[in-house]
Amino acid sequence: MTPQIVTHFIWSCSMPIHPQFLTTSVHAGSDPEPVTGAVNTPLFFTSTYVQEAPGQPKVYDYSRAGNPTRAALEKGYAEIEGGKHAITFASGLAAEQAVVQMLDPGDEVIVCDDTYGGTGRLFRRILAKYQIKFHFVDMTDLRNFESFLSEKTKLVWIESPTNPLMRIIDIEAVCQRARLRGARVLVDNTFASPIFQRPLDLGADMVLHSSTKYLGGHSDLIGGVVMVRDDELAEKIRFIQFAGGAVPGVMECFLLHRSLKTLAIRMQQHEKNAMEVAQFLETHPKIERVYYPGLPSHPQYELARRQMLGFSGMVSFYLKGSFEDTKALLKKLKIFLLAESLGGVESLINHPETMTHASVPPDMRRQLGISYNLLRLSCGIEHGADLVDDLRQALDSV
Ligand SMILES: *Cc1c(COP(=O)(O)O)cnc(C)c1O
């Protein structure tokens, strides 16, 4: 194929972004500040608030409980995700911890096996100590998932697309089965972003993001958020946060709100670039296999098309060759930076086995296919052809 044909093919494949998100991104939670009319909510750097009489605060009393800069961001997040409440946290993992802290000893959680490495570490090494049982299961197989469901199951934890292998879990089907058993479902929507996947509409009770990634989008902060529709559930999570204290700082809230304004337009470019890169890699003789939900060769392409509004910016692939070849490739890349994390404007490459997923038990890594020649790309918002050229020159040299 000539480059022109490739480009044409790409544009006919990416899904057009829902126009509503372009407007919502810019305006969500952005009410002018009432006193001065400032278009952006100012940074309220304050820990406490003067009260008119004992026990009668105006709105806020202490910034662990609430802060106007944070409240504006939370309003914006609830709007973009189609939730009613958003509770923002100091990190994605702090948000995860708060959700699990709603459970009691003896409760069980079903977690998809191919999760973010830090999620598994938190569950296995910290939260399992409190007699909460975590079952790590392959949820792409619904029967397998159902065999773990019981009256003890209080929470089902989905990450889709999964990390790093981009497997797709049928969110609607899992939610239906969980609801019959009275279990709540949380979807970690970090990889898809609210622009490309709407778990609350598919039946999930909670949506969680590491806002460190696409929501923040500039690799300059750490943050997390949980979005829900149910008032009582929101109250519970908020209380745990208030009692435990894992709140985000004011500067982070301001930057995240600023990032929200460009979320839709960034996601559009992330996806376009990922599609271009995935299609290039798929035809390259030195590549064994590419995983991108937007490729018809993806084992769950049909489900991805049905469930997602777009395929996002993450691509994984296996290089043909040894660990030495893998390291040589990483050395040759000029635009893709070797780093953990994802979802920023700049393109990153990650070696899951030694980096993001080093904390996954070796047996499980092997079983999941996280091997020495697996690489994961976070395609940034640069010019797509430059990303392809960078990969091409690096592949040519190994
Ligand atoms: C990064 C990440 C997390 C953890 O978030 P932090 O902000 O790093 O605490 C959770 N889930 C997914 C999918 C992630 O990529």
Side-chain angles (χ1 to χ4, degrees):
M1 277 200 274
T2 66
Q4 284 81 358
I5 293 170
V6 171
T7 307
H8 177 76
F9 184 45
I10 288 151
W11 284 349
S12 62
C13 264
S14 289
M15 295 213 237
I17 199 153
H18 198 299
Q20 164 211 324
F21 295 135
L22 292 165
T23 304
T24 309
S25 268
V26 174
H27 294 283
S30 289
D31 301 323
E33 198 271 327
V35 177
T36 62
V39 168
N40 295 300
T41 304
L43 292 107
F44 284 88
F45 275 111
T46 188
S47 57
T48 190
Y49 305 80
V50 71
Q51 304 200 6
E52 289 168 342
Q56 284 178 33
K58 284 183 181 165
V59 181
Y60 301 95
D61 55 7
Y62 188 62
S63 279
R64 177 159 28 76
N67 176 287
T69 312
R70 190 162 102 220
L73 173 67
E74 291 182 342
K75 186 162 179 250
Y77 275 172
E79 241 172 89
I80 196 79
E81 190 71 63
K84 188 170 170 200
H85 308 275
I87 303 111
T88 54
F89 285 84
S91 71
L93 284 168
E96 296 188 14
Q97 173 146 311
V99 168
V100 177
Q101 281 176 334
M102 284 193 290
L103 304 182
D104 294 314
D107 288 348
E108 296 191 2
V109 184
I110 304 179
V111 193
C112 62
D113 53 3
D114 191 17
T115 52
Y116 174 71
T119 301
R121 181 174 53 214
L122 174 68
F123 291 177
R124 285 192 191 90
R125 301 203 28 204
I126 308 290
L127 297 171
K129 285 196 294 196
Y130 302 94
Q131 275 83 52
I132 295 166
K133 185 152 182 53
F134 295 91
H135 299 281
F136 289 85
V137 311
D138 176 1
M139 277 196 221
T140 58
D141 177 347
L142 287 171
R143 278 230 200 102
N144 182 42
F145 161 67
E146 273 191 293
S147 72
F148 286 89
L149 261 180
S150 76
E151 67 283 357
K152 287 189 180 159
T153 313
K154 291 293 170 334
L155 180 62
V156 175
W157 194 282
I158 302 177
E159 206 178 303
S160 183
T162 67
N163 177 11
L165 288 162
M166 309 299 147
R167 292 189 297 172
I168 308 293
I169 292 164
D170 189 333
I171 296 173
E172 201 166 19
V174 169
C175 289
Q176 279 165 359
R177 285 158 176 78
R179 193 174 307 120
L180 290 175
R181 294 290 193 140
R184 286 198 172 113
V185 178
L186 177 142
V187 176
D188 182 335
N189 207 22
T190 302
F191 268 39
S193 89
I195 307 301
F196 292 138
Q197 186 162 269
R198 316 286 299 161
L200 294 172
D201 293 338
L202 297 170
D205 301 282
M206 292 171 266
V207 171
L208 180 143
H209 288 269
S210 165
S211 46
T212 312
K213 318 294 167 52
Y214 285 114
L215 291 180
H218 296 73
S219 307
D220 54 4
L221 53 77
I222 302 283
V225 59
V226 183
M227 284 87 135
V228 303
R229 287 184 176 157
D230 184 84
D231 296 341
E232 207 176 305
L233 190 53
E235 214 37 62
K236 278 188 180 164
I237 299 169
R238 229 177 243 299
F239 179 72
I240 288 169
Q241 176 180 57
F242 170 66
V247 295
V250 173
M251 181 59 100
E252 275 74 7
C253 291
F254 177 83
L255 289 170
L256 285 164
H257 206 160
R258 184 178 161 132
S259 293
L260 179 56
K261 294 174 193 293
T262 55
L263 179 66
I265 199 159
R266 281 187 284 112
M267 293 316 297
Q268 200 164 355
Q269 182 70 4
H270 283 300
E271 189 203 29
K272 188 165 157 290
N273 285 350
M275 184 66 85
E276 209 162 326
V277 161
Q279 288 181 341
F280 162 73
L281 290 173
E282 189 161 52
T283 57
H284 199 285
K286 288 182 184 165
I287 302 298
E288 193 177 295
R289 181 90 217 239
V290 182
Y291 287 97
Y292 182 61
L295 290 179
S297 63
H298 188 285
Q300 294 151 302
Y301 175 66
E302 286 310 322
L303 173 58
R305 280 191 66 95
R306 191 170 80 231
Q307 169 166 296
M308 302 177 78
L309 306 176
F311 306 112
S312 209
M314 301 299 295
V315 179
S316 289
F317 67 93
Y318 290 101
L319 182 72
K320 277 185 194 157
S322 63
F323 186 37
E324 292 310 310
D325 295 326
T326 308
K327 282 192 283 191
L329 176 81
L330 293 170
K331 264 218 152 62
K332 289 284 178 192
L333 287 166
K334 296 187 176 111
I335 297 178
F336 283 92
L337 304 172
L338 178 63
E340 300 201 5
S341 200
L342 61 113
V345 290
E346 68 289 297
S347 291
L348 301 179
I349 188 163
N350 159 50
H351 184 247
E353 188 191 37
T354 57
M355 295 167 63
T356 46
H357 290 67
S359 65
V360 176
D363 275 358
M364 192 157 174
R365 269 208 308 263
R366 221 166 298 126
Q367 190 192 325
L368 289 169
I370 302 172
S371 55
Y372 62 87
N373 59 340
L374 176 70
L375 291 164
R376 188 192 79 184
L377 303 174
S378 169
C379 298
I381 64 166
E382 302 94 334
H383 183 40
D386 291 338
L387 301 183
V388 168
D389 285 347
D390 192 31
L391 288 162
R392 184 186 289 117
Q393 63 80 23
L395 283 163
D396 282 350
S397 72
V398 299

